[in-house]
Structures are given as structure tokens and as C-alpha cells.
Amino acid sequence: MDFEKLLELMCTKKASDLFITAERPPALKVDGKIIDVSKTSPSEEQSLKLVKSIMTQRQRDDFDNTKECNFAISLGAPCYLTKFRDSCRRNSFTYAANRRCSSRPASATD
């Protein structure tokens, strides 16, 4: 599973959210409906590795210490900003991404 391809699919499908949860297929929220985008369900270890692959070392350290991390990355057109929230609750890892599509890069006030 390639994280960049999941984000590209998110933008292509104009999904508002991407969910990666251990032992569940990756899913997108499109027009208010959650749809699986794979037939395979990554393990907790695979899910965590996938999400940590886009984090900086500081973000990984923060997540390891607090079991939560909020961050954003710029992807370029048409998805200039994607915000992420990772959390680990009751030994179950869940990851969510929210997409903001725009014809321009986000400014400091967005």
C-alpha cells in the first residue's frame, strides 16, 4: 500500500476524508458515504508504518510519546493542503486525513 497513491485517490475522488484503521481496509468519505478503497486490511504495524512514513522525526517522536499527532502537508494542485490526525486508542490505531482542494496554495490565514 502506497500512501501517496491513497492521497492521489483521495483527490481524484474528491473525498473529504481518508481513514486508515488497523485491521480494516483504507476508506474514503465521498459525498458523506464511507467507501473502502482496498480489499486488504493492513495490520496495526502496517498501518502505523504507512502513516509514519509521511511524518517528520519530531512528529513520530511526538506520536510515540502522546499517542496523538496533528499535522498538515502541502501536496500541490489540486490538493494544496491535507490535515492529518493520528490517534491510538485502546491499542487500536486510527488515522484520518482531511482534504482541502483549492486552485491556490494555502496561506498562513487559511
Side-chain angles (χ1 to χ4, degrees):
M1 189 176 322
D2 182 306
F3 199 89
E4 195 169 307
K5 288 184 182 180
L6 288 172
L7 292 176
E8 288 173 8
L9 183 62
M10 185 182 184
C11 288
T12 301
K13 298 282 187 183
K14 297 182 180 170
S16 61
D17 300 272
L18 164 66
F19 301 102
I20 298 173
T21 303
E23 310 303 334
R24 295 266 314 134
L28 296 176
K29 186 185 238 183
V30 180
D31 296 326
K33 296 178 184 172
I34 297 181
I35 56 170
D36 291 342
V37 295
S38 175
K39 293 184 186 224
T40 60
S41 300
S43 67
E44 183 173 339
E45 183 179 321
Q46 291 168 322
S47 298
L48 191 55
K49 183 178 179 181
L50 181 67
V51 173
K52 282 186 169 185
S53 72
I54 62 163
M55 292 180 177
T56 65
Q57 185 60 51
R58 183 176 178 192
Q59 291 162 340
R60 287 190 291 271
D61 292 343
D62 185 44
F63 181 80
D64 289 340
N65 291 327
T66 66
K67 301 302 180 209
E68 291 189 347
C69 186
N70 292 297
F71 61 100
I73 63 171
S74 180
L75 301 173
C79 260
Y80 280 107
L81 181 67
T82 301
K83 295 180 181 179
F84 300 95
R85 174 160 178 80
D86 303 320
S87 62
C88 185
R89 302 260 193 248
R90 295 188 196 128
N91 297 323
S92 177
F93 174 76
T94 301
Y95 163 82
N98 304 104
R99 178 185 63 83
R100 177 188 165 274
C101 279
S102 174
S103 59
R104 63 172 179 77
S107 70
T109 60
D110 284 350

